[in-house]
Amino acid sequence: RKFFQRMRGLTQRGATVLLLGHTNKHPAPDGKWVFEGVGDVRTDVDELIYIYATPKDARGKVTLTMTPDKVRCSVREATFELDTRAMTVQALEEVIDVAAQNEARKQMEADQPVIACISSLLKDGAMQYTALVSKAHEMLKPECSRATVKRVLDHYLSTDPAHPTALWIETRLRENNTRLITLNLTRNAP
C-alpha cells in the first residue's frame, strides 16, 4: 500500500509511472487475459492495458495489440508490428485481433491430423462430401470421430477461395444437390 501511495504522490507532481506485470497463464473463456496479482494494482492504476502478441514469424516479426481494460482517459486499442531483427516498431493503421488469431492458430494445430488426412484424400481430385467424410473417418478412427471429421471439414470449407480459412472449396451440383469438395489451390499450391 505504501508503494502505491508513493507512486500516486509522484503522479500528482506530473510524473508518469509505468508498471509491468503478467497475466494468468490461461485466458478467460472469452479469450481475454485475466489479471494476476495484487488487487491493489488493479484498483490503484489509472489505465490497465493488456498486450496480446503473435509468435515471431519467419521474418522475425511479431504483431502486438494493446487492448485497454480499465481506462480513465482516452486510451484506445492499437496494433504495432515489432521487427525483432531490426529492433523497430511500427504502428499499424488497423487494429488486429491478435487474441483471435492466436486461438485460430491453436485450433488449426489441434486440427492438423484431420486437415492432413482430408487434404491427402483430395490431392488426386474432387470428392463428394459424404464420401470424403466417410473415407477420412475410416482412416482416422479410433482416434477421431465422424463428428470431428465433419467439424474440421466444415470449419475450413468455403465456396470462396479467397476466404481466409478456406483450405477446401465446395461446389454444389444441381444433380442430387451434390456437394463436391476440392483443394483450395490458392492456399494449397505447391
Side-chain angles (χ1 to χ4, degrees), residues 56-130:
K56 185 172 21 174
D57 68 15
R59 303 169 300 145
K61 301 208 176 180
V62 176
T63 303
L64 306 158
T65 296
M66 298 173 65
T67 304
D69 184 53
K70 177 183 175 186
V71 295
R72 290 192 180 150
C73 66
S74 64
V75 176
R76 57 177 197 235
E77 200 169 35
T79 301
F80 302 87
E81 185 177 75
L82 168 66
D83 186 329
T84 61
R85 293 180 182 158
M87 293 309 292
T88 58
V89 176
Q90 176 183 353
L92 302 181
E93 290 186 26
E94 289 185 34
V95 173
I96 296 172
D97 189 344
V98 171
Q101 280 185 348
N102 288 340
E103 284 303 310
R105 186 176 4 272
K106 284 180 192 172
Q107 187 61 55
M108 188 174 239
E109 287 170 8
D111 293 339
Q112 201 54 49
V114 180
I115 291 170
C117 179
I118 292 171
S119 293
S120 72
L121 289 168
L122 293 172
K123 71 177 191 259
D124 292 328
M127 286 185 75
Q128 194 270 341
Y129 181 90
T130 54

Side-chain angles (χ1 to χ4, degrees), residues 19-35:
L19 302 173
L20 296 177
H22 61 86
T23 59
N24 188 310
K25 291 180 184 175
H26 304 287
D30 63 1
K32 293 182 179 179
W33 289 123
V34 178
F35 176 76

